[in-house]
Amino acid sequence: MASSSPPWHPSGLEARLPFLRRRAALTGATRAFFAARGYTEVETPYAVPVPGEEVHLRAFATRRERSDGTSEPLWLHTSPEFAMKRLLAGGSGPIFQFARVWRNGEGSPLHAPEFTMLEWYRPGAEMDSLIAETTKLLRDVLPAEVCVRGVTTSLAEIERLTVAEAFARYVGADVLATEGDAVALAVGAGTRLRDGETWEDLFFRLLLERIEPHLGRAHPTFLTHWPAAQAALARRDPSDPRVAERFELFVCGIELANAFVELTDPVEQRERFIAGRARRHAMHGPDWEIDEDFLAAVAEMPPCAGIALGFDRLAMIASGADRIDQVLWLPPVDLA
């Protein structure tokens, strides 16, 4: 709920200080975790020619003015992913970053339009090793039991669940057999299609309404093996090309992270970008050119896996905060 005082006012800042001090300690512990595992901390540009290729994310536009009087459009990135993968292609080895990122149109108790993303990549990692490393991070920087927004989660165990298993358990539908067929998925789920609703729309509606409320409650949940169309930068599973090697992590019922075993085929990556761009442009209009430099880097990337973790949400979990503005030093006024 919005406060009548600005976020810097002593009455507001004093109430947030316990959460913010816990956040500061969490930052130090996280840096120590990655340093001990041989990672190098990096920092990449925030204003970029291409902010990302996610279909449903909206970017903030800006402009660079050069000293010769010319200018070019730039965007505040939605993730440091493209930049960090360029470094991997150049031979950086394992890297991590605390990056400020921007996503337009967002604002809720769990969303801020500007926030901190903890992102890391390790050459040679696979899904199992990345899940193990992420679990160790949680156990190293959080208490054994955490509680946020009325949900208590023990870190003593983890749950692994594929998207297909989750749809079978909580929706009663075969999500892979119905892929692309919205009517068949609706019949399997026992629901009606809304006007104009596509298979993808229904997939996310069922995920949000019927599956996510069950995830990451008693224990952290790793939701793995997403339909390939829902994992634009992830490698297809060699044993089942219908799915990609992607996982999302849920803790205290909160979506905390998104991870890929990275796609290193520039031809397939281009095809996925083109398909995703067509959907995005249909919704929001034309925006930026395709990132040819990134596609060149994809061809040079080593086999690797990477993960993007919402650090503000991790700070909420560490401190027991109920709202994201409680762990932001100067939250937007409409969130505070």
Side-chain angles (χ1 to χ4, degrees):
M1 181 180 294
S3 167
S4 59
S5 300
W8 54 262
H9 193 275
S11 62
L13 184 57
E14 182 179 12
R16 297 199 310 279
L17 274 177
F19 303 109
L20 293 167
R21 288 176 175 142
R22 179 66 181 93
R23 178 190 179 118
L26 178 68
T27 302
T30 302
R31 280 198 164 100
F33 174 87
F34 285 107
R37 298 178 72 85
Y39 282 79
T40 300
E41 184 171 2
V42 300
E43 189 172 21
T44 58
Y46 290 172
V48 294
V50 177
E53 288 290 352
E54 287 288 340
V55 172
H56 299 288
L57 295 184
R58 297 170 59 193
F60 285 82
T62 185
R63 194 164 196 90
R64 177 192 176 193
E65 297 180 356
R66 300 188 183 90
S67 57
D68 64 2
T70 62
S71 66
E72 65 172 325
L74 294 176
W75 305 82
L76 298 179
H77 69 174
T78 59
S79 163
E81 180 172 9
F82 285 12
M84 294 181 76
K85 287 182 176 178
R86 286 175 167 89
L87 297 178
L88 291 167
S92 66
I95 52 176
F96 79 100
Q97 179 171 189
F98 288 96
R100 298 296 287 180
V101 300
W102 290 262
R103 298 181 177 184
N104 217 343
E106 297 197 357
S108 77
L110 292 175
H111 298 83
E114 177 184 351
F115 61 98
T116 299
M117 186 80 82
L118 169 63
E119 199 149 328
W120 74 93
Y121 295 85
R122 177 176 284 279
E126 296 282 353
M127 184 179 292
D128 289 349
S129 60
L130 187 58
I131 287 176
E133 185 169 59
T134 305
T135 302
K136 180 163 176 53
L137 171 67
L138 295 179
R139 290 172 176 167
D140 278 14
V141 303
L142 296 176
E145 187 174 271
V146 288
C147 183
V148 177
R149 298 166 66 86
V151 178
T152 298
T153 298
S154 167
L155 304 185
E157 300 176 20
I158 64 167
E159 175 188 34
R160 290 183 59 157
L161 188 67
T162 70
V163 170
E165 290 169 341
F167 267 80
R169 180 182 301 177
Y170 299 119
V171 178
D174 187 333
V175 70
L176 298 180
T178 64
E179 185 170 7
D181 187 338
V183 173
L185 180 56
V187 169
T191 190
R192 281 187 167 186
L193 275 177
R194 296 171 178 172
D195 289 344
E197 192 169 38
T198 66
W199 182 92
E200 183 180 55
D201 295 333
L202 180 58
F203 171 87
F204 283 112
R205 173 159 68 91
L206 295 170
L207 186 70
L208 180 66
E209 294 178 357
R210 299 198 196 176
I211 295 174
E212 289 191 5
H214 299 281
L215 304 182
R217 302 187 76 82
H219 303 285
T221 299
F222 291 88
L223 185 65
T224 71
H225 296 89
W226 288 61
Q230 310 307 320
L233 287 93
R235 183 180 74 183
R236 290 179 186 266
D237 187 334
S239 65
D240 186 351
R242 297 177 302 170
V243 299
E245 294 180 299
R246 170 189 178 185
F247 71 75
E248 286 191 354
L249 167 63
F250 295 79
V251 180
C252 291
I254 297 171
E255 180 193 334
L256 183 60
N258 185 31
F260 299 150
V261 176
E262 304 299 342
L263 178 63
T264 56
D265 179 345
V267 175
E268 183 175 354
Q269 186 65 87
R270 181 185 296 275
E271 291 171 352
R272 294 196 198 178
F273 278 175
I274 290 171
R277 288 164 64 83
R279 299 200 305 274
R280 189 175 72 246
H281 292 169
M283 291 186 290
H284 304 300
D287 38 45
W288 46 84
E289 297 298 321
I290 200 163
D291 194 336
E292 297 291 349
D293 185 68
F294 173 71
L295 290 172
V298 167
E300 304 297 327
M301 277 174 53
C304 60
I307 182 167
L309 183 149
F311 192 73
D312 309 273
R313 293 184 181 183
L314 186 65
M316 290 177 62
I317 291 166
S319 64
D322 290 327
R323 305 183 315 276
I324 198 168
D325 65 277
Q326 293 172 295
V327 297
L328 303 178
W329 281 95
L330 284 175
V333 172
D334 61 344
L335 292 183

